[in-house]
Amino acid sequence: MLQGPVALVSGHGNRCLAASGRIDLAMTTETCAQGRAPEVLALDPELLLAWFDANVRDLPWRRPECTPWGVLASEVMLQQTPVARVEPVWREWMARWPRPSALAAASQAEVVRAWGKLGYPRRALRLHAAATAIAEKHGDVVPADVDTLLALPGIGAYTARAVAAFAYGRRCPVVDTNVRRVVARAVQGAGDAGPPATNRDLADVQALLPAEENRAARYSAALMELGQVVCTARSPRCADCPVVDRCAWHRAGRPAYQGPTRPTQKFAGTDRQVRGLLLDVLRGSSGPVERPALDAVWADAGQRDRCLDSLLVDGLIEQTDDGRFALPGEG
DNA sequence: AAACCGTGGCA
DNA sequence: TTGCCAAGGTT
């Protein structure tokens, strides 16, 4: 087991303690906030934390030198986007904009272009807006309080708690799709999680958290990590699972998921694809482009115009006085 | 609540 | 090849 300041969320090290203003007390004996129902024990903190210590991936936003701003940026980039695609972009962003105020000083065009092809580019504008709010209203310091984080653009129930827990070592339920799946299986014995229900999901995970604050934060990271690398959606690697013997789903013979199936989102032919193609033209251009350059990316003029308009409404593109199109702020 | 919002890898 | 999936948020 790790000891002392190292025994924090995925090795955040001294920053967590310093930033959260806490004294590094010795690890307390194992305690659980709620009762000791057998289902709760399935995700026993002792087992999960030992597994996490031995298997944690060395991701850059988990390193001791990573700031809360780095954690926040990583969490926004990771929304619906795989780690492998985020990592190089995150490194560029941190080198270029090491503090919220640095990002705030950049133009929206720079930010959208630097976002590259991570997808859902509105996240880039929201992160830029969040950085501006942090710089102007919070002294360039990422808030540690969940409710304050929730008030920032692009920061929802998951991201706010992820930042509080992973950047500041706070004890709060961090519920993403991985955690929902792990709890559904290990605790509830279902093959997968049902439709999201934020308040209930938060309460379910809250009940699992160890009492001690930094231990709870590390537990949250462990729960997510387990879902990402072992208790995966398609082919769970139960042989590598630290709680396989306690898992309700495994003990029940891994029954198939019974609940409602989530309708799969289309992409080909949708406005999302067309918007992506249009924006890609502007990302690849150093300045405003003529209308014909955009017309070339999609044959259906009606859909094209609708998408162009929605991009304007979203503030992802702007129209210059002479009728050309550009990323916001570079017209 | 449900639909919408990008992109690419993988089985 | 096609469908599923990936650290969600907003409306």
Side-chain angles (χ1 to χ4, degrees):
Chain A
M1 289 290 282
L2 298 173
Q3 298 178 354
V6 181
L8 294 166
V9 181
S10 53
H12 274 77
N14 295 317
R15 179 182 51 71
C16 283
L17 292 177
S20 59
R22 297 187 67 258
I23 304 299
D24 184 22
L25 301 174
M27 290 294 133
T28 59
T29 52
E30 186 58 45
T31 55
C32 187
Q34 300 295 317
R36 285 291 197 172
E39 296 80 11
V40 172
L41 271 180
L43 293 168
D44 180 60
E46 198 72 43
L47 293 172
L48 276 188
L49 290 173
W51 172 84
F52 187 58
D53 288 343
N55 294 278
V56 59
R57 290 173 295 173
D58 181 23
L59 300 173
W61 43 85
R62 287 175 165 174
R63 298 187 73 85
E65 65 269 23
C66 182
T67 62
W69 165 239
V71 173
L72 190 157
S74 78
E75 292 298 344
V76 172
M77 290 180 175
L78 286 163
Q79 291 167 2
Q80 300 285 285
T81 309
V83 166
R85 221 180 307 166
V86 165
E87 190 164 341
V89 176
W90 181 88
R91 290 184 187 282
E92 292 169 20
W93 276 54
M94 289 302 103
R96 187 171 178 182
W97 299 305
R99 285 170 297 282
S101 56
L103 181 62
S107 72
Q108 291 180 311
E110 290 178 277
V111 169
V112 170
R113 191 169 279 117
W115 190 259
K117 308 199 78 170
L118 284 184
Y120 295 136
R122 293 187 293 190
R123 290 183 293 164
L125 292 182
R126 289 175 182 147
L127 184 51
H128 183 258
T132 302
I134 293 167
E136 293 180 353
K137 299 199 290 188
H138 301 291
D140 217 14
V141 177
V142 172
D145 173 68
V146 169
D147 289 327
T148 308
L149 286 162
L150 282 171
L152 296 171
I155 308 298
Y158 162 76
T159 305
R161 290 171 178 81
V163 170
F166 304 152
Y168 293 109
R170 297 293 174 90
R171 181 181 186 272
C172 54
V174 182
V175 184
D176 73 336
T177 184
N178 294 298
V179 172
R180 290 185 350 97
R181 182 175 57 250
V182 169
V183 171
R185 287 177 178 166
V187 177
Q188 299 160 6
D192 206 343
T198 303
N199 288 332
R200 180 173 53 72
D201 295 339
L202 287 173
D204 288 348
V205 176
Q206 174 84 38
L208 302 175
L209 295 178
E212 199 276 324
E213 193 169 39
N214 276 306
R215 193 173 170 79
R218 220 156 47 86
Y219 179 82
S220 293
L223 219 46
M224 286 182 57
E225 188 82 348
L226 186 69
Q228 287 156 12
V229 305
V230 173
C231 195
T232 57
R234 293 191 188 170
S235 304
R237 301 163 55 191
C238 296
D240 298 329
C241 181
V243 296
V244 62
D245 293 334
R246 299 160 179 246
C247 175
W249 183 53
H250 190 266
R251 285 189 318 211
R254 292 174 52 165
Y257 173 65
Q258 298 292 337
T261 62
R262 187 179 172 80
T264 68
Q265 291 188 53
K266 301 266 189 257
F267 178 67
T270 64
D271 286 2
R272 287 217 313 291
Q273 182 185 18
V274 178
R275 284 165 54 105
L277 291 170
L278 291 169
L279 197 61
D280 199 37
V281 171
L282 297 181
R283 272 197 305 261
S285 166
S286 57
V289 304
E290 307 284 349
R291 182 60 179 257
L294 296 174
D295 290 346
V297 305
W298 198 253
D300 183 334
Q303 186 177 21
R304 221 171 49 215
D305 291 348
R306 180 173 71 243
C307 290
L308 210 47
D309 191 60
S310 73
L311 287 169
L312 286 164
V313 168
D314 286 348
L316 281 164
I317 67 175
E318 286 177 352
Q319 196 160 18
T320 60
D321 292 338
D322 59 9
R324 294 181 296 168
F325 294 87
L327 293 182
E330 75 173 5

